[in-house]
Amino acid sequence: MANLVYKRVSTDQQSIARQNLVLDEAGIENPVVFEEDPGTSSRLHPLQRPKFRELLDYARPGDTVHISEMFRLVRGTSHILDVLDVLHHDRLALRIHDGAFSAMDLTARHPRTGELLSTVKFMVQTLAAAGELQRDLQRELTYDGLRAAEAKGNKGGRRPAIKADKTAAVRTAYLDGRSIAALAREHDVSRGAIRTAVAGLMPEHTTADHDDIPAPELPVTLAVR
């Protein structure tokens, strides 16, 4: 019987490090890993995601699907029930290694009808609804925090990259001795954007300025009232 491991992150800026930690600690023997491309949307039904479809095509009755936590695979209540139905139909076990669902046997069925036990269905719906509420609250708080910051003249998100028509001037100024930090301030971009613009020049231009050492980033706190 095979152990099929499924991994996914919601954006290409996220890391699977935490999932790897949880799954490594689980001691899964001979795992066959299916990892979605970074940024595969959470809104896409799991049965439509390329790697999960590939996992189901690969699976054989008696295999076990492993995930670090339920919301790596599904979000809404209907998605969870749809996936459980497919796993039951294909006679696949589901093992969740972290989070609220990890202590539950989500594959438990009535011995005569074969339907999902009512207690399992109730717990799945309750926990899924709680997870959706938590995410909605986080989005609302983030939105309110960004609006408050904008009202004070601060803009959220990444600072822009160097525009194409400015790149040559930045490279010339860098060769003339301007520091990365000074150029970032002048063009109102991040130091990373300046480094990207002058990347081809950096091996030959090794003089470093002390003011070019990145300053530590301070945590951003959103006030909730």
Side-chain angles (χ1 to χ4, degrees), residues 105-131:
D105 179 9
L106 298 182
T107 59
R109 300 271 169 167
H110 193 282
R112 288 188 294 275
T113 67
E115 295 181 353
L116 193 67
L117 289 179
S118 57
T119 51
V120 173
K121 188 174 182 179
F122 172 77
M123 289 301 297
V124 166
Q125 292 172 329
T126 301
L127 291 172

Side-chain angles (χ1 to χ4, degrees), residues 111-169:
R112 288 188 294 275
T113 67
E115 295 181 353
L116 193 67
L117 289 179
S118 57
T119 51
V120 173
K121 188 174 182 179
F122 172 77
M123 289 301 297
V124 166
Q125 292 172 329
T126 301
L127 291 172
E132 289 178 311
L133 174 62
Q134 180 184 21
R135 292 190 300 277
D136 288 343
L137 289 173
Q138 288 174 338
R139 282 194 293 266
E140 290 174 5
L141 290 174
T142 300
Y143 176 72
D144 290 344
L146 289 173
R147 289 191 61 188
E150 289 176 356
K152 295 180 180 179
N154 299 321
K155 295 183 179 179
R158 292 184 178 183
R159 299 174 75 180
I162 292 293
K163 295 182 179 179
D165 60 350
K166 299 289 186 182
T167 300

Side-chain angles (χ1 to χ4, degrees), residues 31-215:
V32 181
V33 178
F34 298 83
E35 183 178 338
E36 296 287 359
D37 289 337
T40 301
S41 174
S42 302
R43 297 177 182 175
L44 186 64
H45 196 293
L47 298 178
Q48 297 175 335
R49 295 180 192 144
K51 285 298 179 180
F52 191 64
R53 287 301 319 170
E54 185 179 324
L55 180 152
L56 293 176
D57 291 340
Y58 179 92
R60 296 295 180 267
D63 290 350
T64 300
V65 179
H66 297 264
I67 51 178
S68 60
E69 56 187 344
M70 177 59 87
F71 295 118
R72 290 299 98 205
L73 176 59
V74 294
R75 289 291 182 179
T77 307
S78 62
H79 287 189
I80 296 176
L81 298 178
D82 288 345
V83 168
L84 292 180
D85 282 342
V86 169
L87 295 179
H88 174 67
H89 179 270
D90 293 348
R91 290 183 287 167
L92 303 175
L94 176 63
R95 182 72 174 90
I96 304 165
H97 294 277
D98 195 23
F101 290 96
S102 60
M104 297 176 60
D105 179 9
L106 298 182
T107 59
R109 300 271 169 167
H110 193 282
R112 288 188 294 275
T113 67
E115 295 181 353
L116 193 67
L117 289 179
S118 57
T119 51
V120 173
K121 188 174 182 179
F122 172 77
M123 289 301 297
V124 166
Q125 292 172 329
T126 301
L127 291 172
E132 289 178 311
L133 174 62
Q134 180 184 21
R135 292 190 300 277
D136 288 343
L137 289 173
Q138 288 174 338
R139 282 194 293 266
E140 290 174 5
L141 290 174
T142 300
Y143 176 72
D144 290 344
L146 289 173
R147 289 191 61 188
E150 289 176 356
K152 295 180 180 179
N154 299 321
K155 295 183 179 179
R158 292 184 178 183
R159 299 174 75 180
I162 292 293
K163 295 182 179 179
D165 60 350
K166 299 289 186 182
T167 300
V170 168
R171 291 166 68 88
T172 299
Y174 179 74
L175 289 174
D176 286 342
R178 295 293 301 281
S179 72
I180 289 177
L183 288 168
R185 290 192 295 270
E186 179 181 337
H187 293 275
D188 192 27
V189 296
S190 68
R191 296 178 184 184
I194 298 296
R195 290 191 183 94
T196 298
V198 302
L201 306 177
M202 294 182 75
E204 292 79 27
H205 192 79
T206 57
T207 302
D209 295 301
H210 290 295
D211 67 346
D212 196 34
I213 299 174

